[in-house]
Amino acid sequence: MKKASNEAIAVKVDVSDSESVQNMVNETVKTYGRLDCAFNNPAYVSAKHGVVGLTKAAALENGQFEIRINTVAPGTIDTPMLHEALEKMGVKPEDYAPQLSLLNRFGQPREIAHAALWLLSDAASYITSTPVYADAGYIGR
């Protein structure tokens, strides 16, 4: 993000298509002059496992260039889409959250953002090839 204006762009990319990935990099460099970091947010279990594999492979390929590659695997996040789905299921959030969270609540979008920002910061400068499960312990069940 540009420090002065807090400006960001989003570029839809299909990571299985190298042209799509290159377009994302090109758009970023065109807008900001360089690419400092990229964030991938997998939404479903199978996608998360695929992203973890891609993360490890990319880290192996790029570590020699001192490029760190990590991923955040979020749990169930409190969003309008979640509430819509729960309503369709006839389930109350407070009844359902304990099934998906050892903390008995849904995550907040800012909590996922904080995990990503930490991974992208110098505070995580020795971390690579690592999935961070921001899921309130769900993966450990």
Side-chain angles (χ1 to χ4, degrees):
M1 294 174 72
K2 286 184 177 179
K3 286 184 181 182
S5 67
N6 291 324
E7 179 184 325
I9 63 170
V11 179
K12 185 176 180 179
V13 62
D14 176 354
V15 295
S16 68
D17 177 6
S18 61
E19 279 186 43
S20 181
V21 173
Q22 189 60 53
N23 178 58
M24 180 267 307
V25 172
N26 291 344
E27 286 297 314
T28 303
V29 171
K30 182 173 118 182
T31 303
Y32 299 106
R34 66 185 195 197
L35 173 64
D36 291 325
C37 62
F39 179 72
N40 187 352
N41 186 17
Y44 300 103
V45 173
S46 60
K48 288 178 184 176
H49 287 289
V51 169
V52 168
L54 287 171
T55 297
K56 291 180 181 208
L60 285 169
E61 291 176 14
N62 292 287
Q64 64 184 326
F65 305 112
E66 296 185 23
I67 297 173
R68 297 178 292 118
I69 311 288
N70 297 293
T71 190
V72 175
T76 306
I77 305 304
D78 191 3
T79 63
M81 186 172 77
L82 171 65
H83 285 276
E84 184 180 306
L86 293 176
E87 188 176 310
K88 286 181 182 177
M89 293 168 40
V91 178
K92 293 180 182 177
E94 60 272 14
D95 294 334
Y96 202 59
Q99 297 176 44
L100 301 174
S101 165
L102 296 180
L103 301 177
N104 297 321
R105 67 178 179 84
F106 298 127
Q108 296 299 309
R110 73 179 181 291
E111 293 173 304
I112 304 309
H114 289 168
L117 289 171
W118 175 73
L119 278 175
L120 296 167
S121 76
D122 288 341
S125 63
Y126 198 61
I127 297 174
T128 194
S129 186
T130 301
V132 171
Y133 295 97
D135 67 355
Y138 184 79
I139 194 77
R141 290 182 167 206

